[in-house]
Amino acid sequence: METTIKTQERLGTLLLRSGAITEEDLKAALKLQRQDRGRLGETLIEMGVLSPQTLLDILARRLGVKGCLLRHGLVDPALRDLIDRDEARRLKVLPLFKVHNRLTVAMVEPQRLPVIDRLAALTGCEINPVLVLERNYAEFADRYLSEEVSVDSFLLSLKEQNVEFVNKETVDDDVLTDLSRTDSSPVVNLVNLSLLTAIRDRASDVHIEPDRKHMRVRYRIDGVLRELLTAPLAMHAGVTSRIKVLAKMDIAEKRLPQEGRVRIIAEGRDVDLRVSTMPTLLGEKVVVRLLDRQNLNLDMAGLGLRDAALEKFRRMLLRPHGLVLVTGPTGSGKTTTLYSALDLLRSMTINIVTVEDPVEYQLDMINQINVQEHIGLTFSRALRSILRQDPDVIMVGEIRDTDTARVAVQAALTGHLVLSTLHTKDCVGALARLTDMGTEPYLLASALNGVVAQRLARTICPACRTTYMPDRSLLARAGWAESGPRVFYRGAGCKKCHDSGFKGRLGIYEVVEMDDGLYNLIHRSADEATVKDHLVRSQAFRTLREEGLTLVEQGQSTLEEVLRVTHLEATETVRAERRGAGIAAGAAMS
């Protein structure tokens, strides 16, 4: 740090010129410095005549770099192993965070170009050096470069301090909340750490919940909850209040559920947070939904739709009018599929209007309406108003009731393309669900373009991919005998996948397009078994299970995962029997 100034007198002159200290302060500090042979700047701080932030500001301007006072939440623990810990101590550097290929590193001597070149060679990243005071560095190096990092003890030991980059451009707090600009109390640090880690790991939700002895923070990655950290229970009330303040919720109301939202800046990008609180016996549980636009994939081919299914889906969407349904359980990616469909359709010549609960992502050239049931703006009421807005394409976030179903079908019959979702297990179930809602079969048959059912299956981590042999009972459930794949893959578990063996998810799709045979069956209210038999005889139809098993054959997912996310329907049982469900081949394959 101070080695950039050749003599202590030069630093003293610099501090005097800036008005940070007086001549008397400098003389006293130089006297003490000669006795203990310490650094002049640290001596002045110990004397109480100079603050760490002031010294940092002056030195940063002198060196022409940015400076920071380290705090928890600013340092990404996942980057500890990016640089060998012994070498990091020798070079006096600490990786802070990484945005794309740009790594920000705290350095005691950021002016040393050979060190920067060495870091670039070690990490393969572009290095963004920031100045840090040596004592501040030593404190955080002891914690973050040690073998184990205790989050609980570290959070409790943090002091109140103002932490932000020097010369950082300000941001309007009414619009955005920047995680790197907040006060660094232990509560704020824990909130920042939880959100930043979740965003970096591409989590979809963060769960903050009280236990009898601790507060537990979990986040959902690839559809599965994982524990991030536990903190002292005494911090729970403060963490809940902090999140409520960010989301503009009532911090005094703890007896009723609440909802709120806020936009934050994290790792160089904007992220929308949807916050929900729920009172429990042990205190309020908080769930934060993370909506990161960078994670939104609008490319249909990238969703996992195979060529034949993709072509059928496109034909359904490119018809001038009709009803297109996407079905599946909560969290199966239905909204992403609909947004991809809107991305395909949107243009300056088409009026597209959506009604959603809530609007998850804002898209250009699309008019999006947020459902507000507390003021009477429901799906059905909004849909009626949309029909007076001269729409070409209408997206209804979800058909929940008879009224919405009736209006959606009527809109499809009167020259509009209507897209919507249903919570059913497969395509045939969607037909039965609409009929149960009171939709006349002859109207449904005339309005429907097609149905897409989907699931999301976790894909194998490429970093720890290895071969294995599934249990013979699983092979039997899949209907695999000698014709099954000879090699099965799974992830062994590594740091990159949090020891889960999975990294990312891919869609599994079942696509049914309206044809004459299906029209006749719906029109005369045929039962599900008859409809399924018709679809099985159709060569182009592939069930969710069959699509999932294709992922297994290609080594993209495991047999256990596909069986977990798909349901063994009667049609699939028939096909399994046709393939020969013997398990003797399991021994042969091994």
Side-chain angles (χ1 to χ4, degrees), residues 97-215:
F97 52 85
K98 181 180 177 183
V99 179
H100 302 301
N101 196 46
R102 186 176 178 84
L103 178 66
T104 298
V105 181
M107 302 179 64
V108 174
E109 298 177 312
Q111 79 288 350
R112 294 179 61 187
L113 296 180
V115 174
I116 295 176
D117 292 340
R118 174 63 176 164
L119 294 176
L122 287 173
T123 63
C125 298
E126 178 186 353
I127 303 300
N128 176 36
V130 296
L131 174 67
V132 63
L133 300 177
E134 186 163 8
R135 180 169 295 183
N136 189 211
Y137 168 82
E139 174 189 358
F140 276 72
D142 288 342
R143 299 183 185 277
Y144 279 94
L145 298 179
S146 61
E147 289 300 320
E148 297 293 338
V149 177
S150 172
V151 175
D152 296 353
S153 61
F154 187 77
L155 286 171
L156 290 176
S157 68
L158 289 173
K159 299 178 181 179
E160 295 284 344
Q161 54 184 339
N162 231 348
V163 181
E164 63 181 14
F165 283 112
V166 174
N167 299 326
K168 182 175 178 64
E169 294 182 3
T170 60
V171 181
D172 186 355
D173 285 333
D174 290 335
V175 180
L176 299 174
T177 300
D178 188 339
L179 295 186
S180 66
R181 299 178 65 246
T182 56
D183 298 332
S184 50
S185 69
V187 166
V188 172
N189 289 332
L190 189 144
V191 172
N192 289 359
L193 172 68
S194 302
L195 295 179
L196 287 170
T197 304
I199 292 168
R200 183 199 66 229
D201 290 343
R202 301 171 66 91
S204 60
D205 303 88
V206 178
H207 292 239
I208 301 172
E209 48 203 5
D211 205 341
R212 293 187 179 276
K213 297 181 179 180
H214 303 283
M215 178 186 70

Side-chain angles (χ1 to χ4, degrees), residues 2 8-9 11-12 15 26 29-30 33 38-45 50 55:
E2 299 172 32
Q8 301 292 354
E9 287 76 17
L11 174 59
L15 295 172
L26 178 59
L30 288 173
Q33 185 266 334
R39 294 179 180 271
L40 179 59
E42 294 175 356
T43 301
L44 287 165
I45 292 174
L50 186 66
L55 177 61

Side-chain angles (χ1 to χ4, degrees), residues 4-21:
T4 60
I5 301 172
K6 294 182 179 179
T7 65
Q8 301 292 354
E9 287 76 17
R10 288 190 60 182
L11 174 59
T13 302
L14 191 63
L15 295 172
L16 282 173
R17 189 181 302 124
S18 68
I21 61 173

Side-chain angles (χ1 to χ4, degrees), residues 291-309:
L291 301 174
D292 185 353
R293 187 179 175 85
Q294 290 192 6
N295 293 339
L296 179 62
N297 180 15
L298 297 180
D299 178 17
M300 280 192 174
L303 296 177
L305 278 161
R306 305 195 183 279
D307 293 341

Side-chain angles (χ1 to χ4, degrees), residues 393-406:
V393 179
I394 303 170
M395 187 190 93
V396 183
E398 181 183 349
I399 296 178
R400 296 178 178 174
D401 51 49
T402 299
D403 200 16
T404 305
R406 180 176 56 81

Side-chain angles (χ1 to χ4, degrees), residues 83-96:
I83 303 171
D84 181 78
R85 298 176 189 179
D86 291 337
E87 185 156 17
R89 290 179 184 275
R90 181 177 62 82
L91 299 177
K92 295 184 178 179
V93 300
L94 182 66
L96 297 182

Side-chain angles (χ1 to χ4, degrees), residues 41 54 67 154 223 228 244 325 338 354 394 430 444 457 465 512 533 549:
T54 300
F154 187 77
L228 174 61
K244 283 185 173 181
L325 297 173
L338 286 182
T354 75
I394 303 170
L444 178 59
R465 186 170 178 258
V512 171
D533 185 61
L549 293 179

